[in-house]
Amino acid sequence: MRNLTGLKNTEQAFLFFLQEDTPKEEMVGITRNFNQDSWQELSELAINCGLLPAFYRRLTALGLENIPSQIKDKLKNIYLYNLQRNILLEKELLKILPCFEEADIAVIPLKGPLLARYIYADLSSRLTSADLDLLVKKEDLNKAKTLLERLGFGADQRSFAEYLKFRRQLTLRKTDANGTILIDLHWDIGNRFICARIEDFWNNARKTESAGYSVLMPCPEDLILYLTLVSLSSHDFIQLRYLYDLHKAILKLKDALNWKLLTEKAFACQQQTTLFFALKLSDEFFRNEIPKEVLEKLHPGLIKEKICRLWINKTNILRFGLRGKRGYIWFYIVTSYLGSKNIFDCMRLVLSRVFIPAQEVAWDYRHPQEKRYYAYIKRLFKPLQRIIKKPSRRNLKKTKIK
């Protein structure tokens, strides 16, 4: 049994639900004394962590009988809505991909419904995406944008050249009778602070059958590294649902995964510490058996591990403890420390994140360039403003499932 000390009973039960090898008899024992409030808390945890679909699938598969019908019905409704949304996104994606192929534009779907098909083997077990993420080569970007506009998607009216200069993705939107669909058109998987080898990503991609279509997907090592970056380096804090994606990908690809090549790729883009914690957390949360020699090779050193563990731990991840007030510490300092060689390199990364070019700040805030320094000052004071205005999570009223 994994070390789950420090977690509440409902948090421990939630993790046991998500571990596929937990037998029904054990889950019956764990939840035997659960009352309405306990199931309420457990359900809210599944929703807040973005893992309700996987949680509900396990709940129904185990066939537990002491779940309050009101909560079970609510979970079922959310689960079915999620499935409906995933079906809609998949249909839209499968309309788009043949058009890209006809136009001779190479494209790799990132996350979304095809990732659900690929690593979960069904659409229902993964939380629906807000958008479709598509990776294209930078030289094909304008061609891809024009194609999507012909298909009814509209892009931001800001200069395309500015997007190329300040961002690594372009968002397009389409609204019809079925609702709104967003497409994030990426030309890189890293950002200005994470050097990911996009050429290797393309060179190693391979055709894979998904939903009856042949689609281009990253090789196993690149997919694991990409999900690692998404899990730990792309958001205000670690999101458990992306660690669960990583867990499912490791299960799916374990026989094809070249661990030596994966560690080499992580060192090449200076993300070995990020990969270490992603693999370690995947093992701690979901019982992934990561080879001991891989973790030893990636180990960042005792001091760095201890410092990072102040933020990167099960309690914080389950409770979103670093969001809001402390999210800035995570985004600016901790993720920089993960990808740095030493404390001086970390300071350099932090400063480059805080003091980005004034032109980019003005563009981001949609201010004219002549007011770029006003936008710059506004951005620097934004964290302080949020700290003052944002109430503590402890004082927020708990939202009940109705």
Side-chain angles (χ1 to χ4, degrees), residues 1-7 11-13 15-16 18-19 21-22 26 30 247 251 279-291 295 314:
M1 183 177 291
R2 296 292 188 227
N3 180 13
L4 298 178
T5 55
L7 299 182
E11 292 170 337
Q12 294 184 35
L15 295 180
F16 281 123
L18 294 173
Q19 294 164 0
D21 58 351
T22 306
E26 187 172 347
I30 291 171
H247 156 67
L251 287 182
L279 295 178
K280 192 78 173 172
L281 289 169
S282 176
D283 180 35
E284 291 173 0
F285 276 117
F286 309 117
R287 297 182 181 178
N288 270 127
E289 296 299 329
I290 310 299
L295 294 176
K314 292 189 290 292

Side-chain angles (χ1 to χ4, degrees), residues 138 141 156 158-170 185 187-188 190-193 356-369 372 376 379:
K138 191 171 184 179
L141 185 60
D156 192 318
R158 288 185 288 182
S159 165
F160 184 57
E162 289 178 336
Y163 264 100
L164 287 173
K165 183 178 180 180
F166 297 130
R167 289 291 179 268
R168 283 170 170 78
Q169 69 182 55
L170 173 68
L185 204 56
W187 53 93
D188 203 343
N191 56 46
R192 64 187 304 171
F193 312 107
I356 63 177
Q359 282 186 324
E360 182 177 347
V361 175
W363 183 85
D364 199 33
Y365 279 80
R366 297 176 181 265
H367 284 312
Q369 286 300 323
R372 59 186 178 274
Y376 205 85
R379 176 181 180 273

Side-chain angles (χ1 to χ4, degrees), residues 33 97 202 260:
N33 297 321
L97 292 181
W202 281 109
K260 183 175 182 293

Side-chain angles (χ1 to χ4, degrees), residues 154-376:
D156 192 318
Q157 295 304 308
R158 288 185 288 182
S159 165
F160 184 57
E162 289 178 336
Y163 264 100
L164 287 173
K165 183 178 180 180
F166 297 130
R167 289 291 179 268
R168 283 170 170 78
Q169 69 182 55
L170 173 68
T171 301
L172 298 99
R173 176 191 304 264
K174 182 177 81 170
T175 301
D176 57 21
N178 295 316
T180 298
I181 293 178
L182 301 176
I183 289 182
D184 280 342
L185 204 56
H186 300 256
W187 53 93
D188 203 343
I189 57 169
N191 56 46
R192 64 187 304 171
F193 312 107
I194 298 174
C195 180
R197 297 197 168 191
I198 192 64
E199 297 83 7
D200 290 349
F201 203 79
W202 281 109
N203 292 336
N204 299 326
R206 57 186 67 174
K207 288 284 187 179
T208 304
E209 290 295 321
S210 181
Y213 286 81
S214 180
V215 297
L216 206 56
M217 292 291 286
C219 73
E221 297 77 25
D222 286 339
L223 180 59
I224 296 298
L225 192 55
Y226 169 70
L227 292 175
T228 292
L229 296 178
V230 171
S231 300
L232 268 71
S233 301
S234 299
H235 302 277
D236 287 346
F237 190 53
I238 302 168
Q239 295 193 21
L240 190 61
R241 65 188 180 115
Y242 291 129
L243 284 176
Y244 193 67
D245 281 346
L246 181 64
H247 156 67
K248 297 296 285 190
I250 292 171
L251 287 182
K252 163 83 175 178
L253 303 169
K254 60 182 179 182
D255 294 332
L257 192 58
N258 184 329
W259 289 101
K260 183 175 182 293
L261 179 59
L262 175 61
T263 56
E264 289 172 355
K265 285 176 176 286
F267 275 96
C269 61
Q270 211 168 303
Q271 293 300 316
Q272 64 272 18
T273 304
T274 308
L275 180 60
F276 169 81
F277 278 107
L279 295 178
K280 192 78 173 172
L281 289 169
S282 176
D283 180 35
E284 291 173 0
F285 276 117
F286 309 117
R287 297 182 181 178
N288 270 127
E289 296 299 329
I290 310 299
K292 184 179 178 181
E293 61 273 16
V294 172
L295 294 176
E296 289 175 352
K297 178 73 173 176
L298 295 168
H299 196 278
L302 184 61
I303 294 176
K304 190 169 186 177
E305 182 184 10
K306 291 290 185 184
I307 292 173
C308 289
R309 279 292 189 181
L310 294 174
W311 289 271
I312 305 174
N313 56 65
K314 292 189 290 292
T315 303
N316 279 339
I317 294 169
L318 280 169
R319 300 173 191 173
F320 298 97
L322 298 184
R323 284 197 152 193
K325 293 184 180 181
R326 290 172 287 170
Y328 288 100
I329 297 175
W330 167 258
F331 183 75
Y332 289 108
I333 299 177
V334 183
T335 57
S336 297
Y337 191 44
L338 286 174
S340 62
K341 298 175 184 176
N342 49 52
I343 190 65
F344 300 105
D345 190 35
C346 176
M347 290 172 63
R348 178 187 62 79
L349 283 171
V350 170
L351 290 174
S352 68
R353 286 183 166 189
V354 173
F355 299 103
I356 63 177
Q359 282 186 324
E360 182 177 347
V361 175
W363 183 85
D364 199 33
Y365 279 80
R366 297 176 181 265
H367 284 312
Q369 286 300 323
E370 57 267 22
K371 294 186 177 180
R372 59 186 178 274
Y373 294 109
Y374 166 74
Y376 205 85

Side-chain angles (χ1 to χ4, degrees), residues 17-197:
F17 266 114
L18 294 173
Q19 294 164 0
E20 292 88 346
D21 58 351
T22 306
K24 179 178 179 179
E25 295 74 22
E26 187 172 347
M27 288 310 307
V28 169
I30 291 171
T31 61
R32 180 175 290 116
N33 297 321
F34 273 22
N35 56 23
Q36 175 88 17
D37 288 340
S38 302
W39 283 108
Q40 172 76 29
E41 189 176 341
L42 186 59
S43 302
E44 288 174 353
L45 186 59
I47 294 170
N48 292 337
C49 289
L51 285 168
L52 183 138
F55 172 74
Y56 181 77
R57 291 267 296 186
R58 281 284 290 156
L59 200 64
T60 54
L62 290 168
L64 301 184
E65 298 176 356
N66 62 328
I67 310 169
S69 59
Q70 183 185 11
I71 291 177
K72 190 172 183 180
D73 290 344
K74 180 66 176 184
L75 294 178
K76 181 180 179 180
N77 289 338
I78 299 174
Y79 171 83
L80 292 175
Y81 172 80
N82 179 78
L83 175 58
Q84 183 182 24
R85 175 69 181 174
N86 271 341
I87 291 172
L88 174 65
L89 289 175
E90 184 181 54
K91 284 182 177 178
E92 191 66 38
L93 183 58
L94 295 179
K95 290 177 188 175
I96 293 169
L97 292 181
C99 298
F100 273 78
E101 189 171 1
E102 281 182 28
D104 197 27
I105 302 172
V107 58
I108 299 176
L110 301 172
K111 299 182 288 185
L114 288 193
L115 183 67
R117 290 278 189 194
Y118 186 54
I119 64 175
Y120 289 81
D122 72 84
L123 281 178
S124 64
S125 293
R126 188 177 189 272
L127 186 70
T128 187
S129 303
D131 50 32
L132 292 170
D133 294 273
L134 303 178
L135 178 70
V136 298
K137 295 178 180 178
K138 191 171 184 179
E139 58 267 27
D140 289 334
L141 185 60
N142 195 35
K143 195 175 172 183
K145 173 179 174 287
T146 303
L147 187 152
L148 288 170
E149 286 174 338
R150 287 205 306 267
L151 294 173
F153 288 87
D156 192 318
Q157 295 304 308
R158 288 185 288 182
S159 165
F160 184 57
E162 289 178 336
Y163 264 100
L164 287 173
K165 183 178 180 180
F166 297 130
R167 289 291 179 268
R168 283 170 170 78
Q169 69 182 55
L170 173 68
T171 301
L172 298 99
R173 176 191 304 264
K174 182 177 81 170
T175 301
D176 57 21
N178 295 316
T180 298
I181 293 178
L182 301 176
I183 289 182
D184 280 342
L185 204 56
H186 300 256
W187 53 93
D188 203 343
I189 57 169
N191 56 46
R192 64 187 304 171
F193 312 107
I194 298 174
C195 180
R197 297 197 168 191

